[in-house]
């Protein structure tokens, strides 16, 4: 009876805290922000076209209710976790727009989904009699934490995979650029030709550099933006070499071929290192599983013979 009363008191406390948070989160209790104070003076402005809508803002009653709550929860996650610069950098590395607010909102949704799953599992255990209300709260908290951190891990994983694809494409793209420059094309013309003939992540980044160059930025600045958006040291060295070659007038084709060869050598070294690590990992089951079984098979007949002899 005491255990049931304790579990009921804990559930009542959790429910009371939740109702209090809902009450404090009502619009009448929230402090009006800058947008809310300025909005009444902008009601006579023309309504923007729907063609300019990015489709990310929820509309209707659901958007009016969930939008402010989602933004507040996203700001709370930002205050707890921090790392805004790291998130923006990983979004750029993953080929996404650097939108911190949207990522925090996605983290909130992932956390809510994880919390619901954890609460469901905890409720099943509670009904089955294998756990109490404390286990339910702990599993809900664990699910919430796993959901929030899982979104961050998936972003890092996406950025790493994209950079791996770019590193795989880089030697071929560098060779194509060297061939185009050796055939008499300029730097911008070579980029244009390679972008038209190739597909992939690196080709998309080069198209963005070409668009920046055609929009008014010089080629070294556009290429430096490519190096800043990615986290690959080899690509940064490639950009530095191309920028120095363009600024000093050195033969660009030789620089591109040398950079492509360096990337291939680096990839070969990476494969050898990965093979060495896999070889060491393969020794673990051999030493701790296969070898003891082999020794046991070799020694066991002798022990059996001595036992029958005695």
């Amino acid at each position: 009876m005491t255990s049931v009363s304790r579990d009921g008191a804990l559930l009542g406390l959790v429910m009371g805290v939740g109702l209090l948070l809902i009450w404090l989160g009502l619009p009448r209790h929230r402090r009006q922000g800058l947008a809310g104070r300025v909005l009444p003076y902008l009601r006579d402005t023309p309504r923007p076209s729907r063609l300019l809508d990015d489709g990310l803002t929820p509309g209707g009653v659901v958007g009016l209710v969930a939008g402010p709550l989602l933004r507040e929860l996203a700001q709370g996650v930002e205050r707890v976790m921090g790392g805004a610069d790291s998130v923006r950098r990983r979004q750029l590395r993953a080929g996404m727009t650097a939108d911190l607010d949207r990522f925090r909102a996605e983290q909130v949704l992932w956390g809510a989904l994880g919390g619901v799953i954890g609460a469901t599992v905890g409720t099943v255990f509670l009904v089955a009699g294998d756990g109490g209300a404390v286990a339910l709260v702990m599993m809900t908290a664990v699910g919430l934490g796993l959901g929030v951190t899982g979104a961050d891990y998936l972003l890092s994983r996406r950025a790493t995979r994209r950079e791996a694809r770019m590193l795989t494409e880089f030697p071929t793209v560098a060779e194509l650029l060297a061939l185009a420059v050796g055939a008499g094309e300029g730097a911008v013309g070579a980029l244009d030709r390679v972008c038209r003939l190739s597909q992939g992540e690196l080709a998309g980044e080069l198209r963005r550099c070409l668009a920046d160059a055609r929009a008014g930025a010089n080629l070294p600045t556009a290429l430096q933006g490519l190096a800043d958006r990615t986290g690959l040291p080899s690509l940064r060295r490639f950009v530095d070499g191309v920028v120095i070659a363009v600024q000093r007038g050195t033969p660009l084709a030789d620089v591109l071929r040398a950079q492509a060869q360096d990337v291939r050598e680096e990839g070969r070294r990476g494969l050898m290192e990965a093979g060495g690590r896999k070889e060491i990992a393969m020794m673990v089951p051999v030493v701790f599983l296969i070898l003891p079984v082999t020794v046991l098979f070799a020694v066991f007949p002798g022990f059996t013979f001595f036992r029958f002899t005695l």
Side-chain angles (χ1 to χ4, degrees):
M1 191 67 178
T2 305
S3 177
V4 175
S5 301
R6 185 175 61 251
D7 295 342
L10 184 58
L11 288 176
L13 178 62
V14 172
M15 183 178 295
V17 172
L19 292 175
L20 179 61
L21 292 177
I22 293 174
W23 173 258
L24 294 177
L26 292 176
R28 57 182 299 181
H29 296 142
R30 286 201 302 262
R31 184 179 179 182
Q32 193 175 18
L34 178 61
R37 295 196 298 267
V38 175
L39 184 61
Y41 301 98
L42 301 178
R43 294 188 183 277
D44 56 344
T45 57
R47 189 174 183 180
S49 174
R50 292 185 179 180
L51 297 176
L52 301 178
D53 188 10
D54 54 1
L56 301 178
T57 304
V61 179
V62 177
L64 292 176
V65 174
L69 179 60
L70 194 61
R71 284 193 294 269
E72 290 184 3
L73 291 176
Q75 292 173 2
V77 173
E78 171 62 26
R79 286 192 296 268
V80 172
M81 300 191 64
D85 295 335
S86 174
V87 171
R88 293 191 183 96
R89 187 161 54 249
R90 281 179 293 167
Q91 284 180 327
L92 292 176
R93 288 169 51 195
M96 304 165 58
T97 305
D99 191 350
L100 178 64
D101 296 334
R102 177 170 181 175
F103 175 72
R104 293 305 185 194
E106 291 178 355
Q107 277 189 308
V108 170
L109 295 177
W110 275 84
L113 179 61
V116 169
I117 295 175
T120 304
V121 176
T123 304
V124 171
F125 285 142
L126 181 62
V127 172
D130 296 334
V134 177
L136 173 61
V137 175
M138 289 183 61
M139 296 193 72
T140 304
V142 169
L144 181 64
L146 289 177
V148 173
T149 56
D152 189 81
Y153 171 77
L154 288 178
L155 178 62
S156 302
R157 187 67 176 171
R158 182 175 179 180
T160 304
R161 288 181 177 178
R162 183 172 182 267
E163 288 180 349
R165 292 194 297 269
M166 292 175 65
L167 192 61
T168 304
E169 300 166 1
F170 178 64
T172 304
V173 172
E175 289 289 351
L176 290 175
L177 286 173
L179 289 174
V181 171
E185 293 277 1
V188 178
L191 283 175
D192 188 13
R193 184 177 294 275
V194 171
C195 290
R196 284 188 286 106
L197 295 178
S198 59
Q199 300 289 333
E201 300 291 343
L202 186 56
E205 288 290 339
L206 291 177
R207 291 189 190 95
R208 184 172 178 178
C209 291
L210 187 61
D212 294 339
R214 288 175 174 173
N218 53 8
L219 184 61
T221 303
L223 290 174
Q224 195 62 42
L226 168 63
D228 295 337
R229 288 191 298 271
T230 57
L232 296 175
S234 57
L235 191 58
R236 184 175 292 274
R237 290 195 300 268
F238 166 75
V239 170
D240 293 339
V242 173
V243 169
I244 292 174
V246 170
Q247 291 177 347
R248 298 183 179 180
T250 55
L252 186 58
D254 298 336
V255 174
L256 294 174
R257 292 192 184 95
Q259 292 286 345
Q261 185 64 28
D262 291 342
V263 172
R264 287 195 176 93
E265 291 294 334
E266 185 177 357
R268 190 177 295 111
R269 288 194 300 270
L271 288 176
M272 294 180 64
E273 293 175 358
R277 290 193 296 268
K278 295 295 184 182
E279 183 178 1
I280 295 174
M282 290 173 61
M283 292 297 294
V284 174
V286 172
V287 174
F288 294 100
L289 183 61
I290 300 176
L291 184 60
V293 173
T294 304
V295 173
L296 183 63
F297 271 96
V299 175
F300 184 74
F303 280 109
T304 306
F305 175 76
F306 283 125
R307 188 181 65 180
F308 282 120
T309 303
L310 295 176

